[in-house]
Amino acid sequence: MAEKTTEQLLESVGAVRHGHFVLSSGRHSGTYVQCALVLAHPEHAEALGRALAERLRGTRIDAVISLALGGLILGQEVARALGVRAMFVERDAGGKMALRRGFHLDPDERILVVEDVWTTGKSTREGWEVVETEGGRVVALAALVDRSGGAIDWKVPAAALVEIAIPSYEEKECPLCRAGSVAVRPGSRFKEAKK
Ligand code: ZN
């Protein structure tokens, strides 16, 4: 699937939103990509998962760990295409990322970490840490959208189907806040936006 096609697909289902948002990283932005709207279509989810698996064909992957909630469906579909099992990490009551539900990694198991959107890459790095703590080895990373426009230096093979540089800001530097509008949280963490 060509990059343009994925971008057009996101547009066609209304997944690219414009306004004033608090991203899951806490940063503010005028654009938000709601991947759930495209993954709601199983045939699109399957095709996107296949396309990501194809991009990572040169890397041997034993299992997929996705970041809940945003990465779950995509991770499942990438794992389906790769023929490996799909697990996930999630935040516990204290907000700390953890491998739960009896999921278990074999020593040095080669793991692909899947997230829906990379903004700063912080969540993926947290998931990466959990994998290493659990004895696995992160050998590749994947996302549907790379909002950094390819600016993150991952140091392992990393694939995103859409690379777009969308500006985001710390709250105190946000020009939209300065203009008087109030940011809304489109929802990937459970915290509500302050104010
Ligand atoms: Zn703002």
Side-chain angles (χ1 to χ4, degrees):
M1 189 178 294
E3 188 159 299
K4 198 162 188 189
T5 313
T6 306
E7 232 176 309
Q8 284 169 343
L9 188 60
L10 288 167
E11 290 279 1
S12 72
V13 297
V16 182
R17 301 295 180 93
H18 301 283
H20 183 190
F21 304 103
V22 186
L23 306 177
S24 57
S25 60
R27 294 172 70 84
H28 286 199
S29 180
T31 305
Y32 179 73
V33 185
Q34 181 51 276
C35 292
L37 291 174
V38 71
L39 298 170
H41 302 270
E43 73 278 19
H44 294 335
E46 187 180 12
L48 294 166
R50 240 191 344 254
L52 272 176
E54 183 64 27
R55 295 274 188 99
L56 294 166
R57 209 164 43 161
T59 304
R60 203 194 89 217
I61 292 161
D62 297 331
V64 170
I65 293 275
S66 52
L67 305 185
L69 282 170
L72 280 185
I73 293 169
L74 190 61
Q76 182 80 20
E77 292 300 338
V78 175
R80 187 199 305 276
L82 291 170
V84 300
R85 73 196 197 285
M87 295 167 284
F88 56 89
V89 291
E90 60 197 305
R91 293 191 186 279
D92 62 20
K96 199 174 175 320
M97 204 85 91
L99 190 66
R100 302 168 72 188
R101 302 174 194 262
F103 289 144
H104 168 81
L105 304 185
D106 293 328
D108 275 333
E109 194 164 8
R110 298 169 60 87
I111 303 298
L112 164 67
V113 176
V114 175
E115 189 175 7
D116 54 353
V117 181
W118 292 329
T119 302
T120 60
K122 188 164 166 272
S123 305
T124 283
R125 287 185 205 284
E126 283 177 71
W128 186 329
E129 253 172 56
V130 174
V131 167
E132 306 223 315
T133 304
E134 297 288 335
R137 186 145 60 93
V138 174
V139 294
L141 306 168
L144 185 49
V145 180
D146 180 1
R147 289 189 49 142
S148 80
I152 308 170
D153 180 13
W154 289 115
K155 309 214 191 292
V156 294
L161 291 181
V162 184
E163 280 191 9
I164 25 176
I166 307 174
S168 66
Y169 315 91
E170 289 299 330
E171 185 174 355
K172 47 184 181 303
E173 290 160 9
C174 174
L176 299 160
C177 284
R178 212 171 293 150
S181 95
V182 174
V184 297
R185 187 174 285 270
S188 82
R189 287 191 192 165
F190 8 86
K191 276 185 291 183
E192 282 303 312
K194 289 173 279 177
K195 284 183 265 185

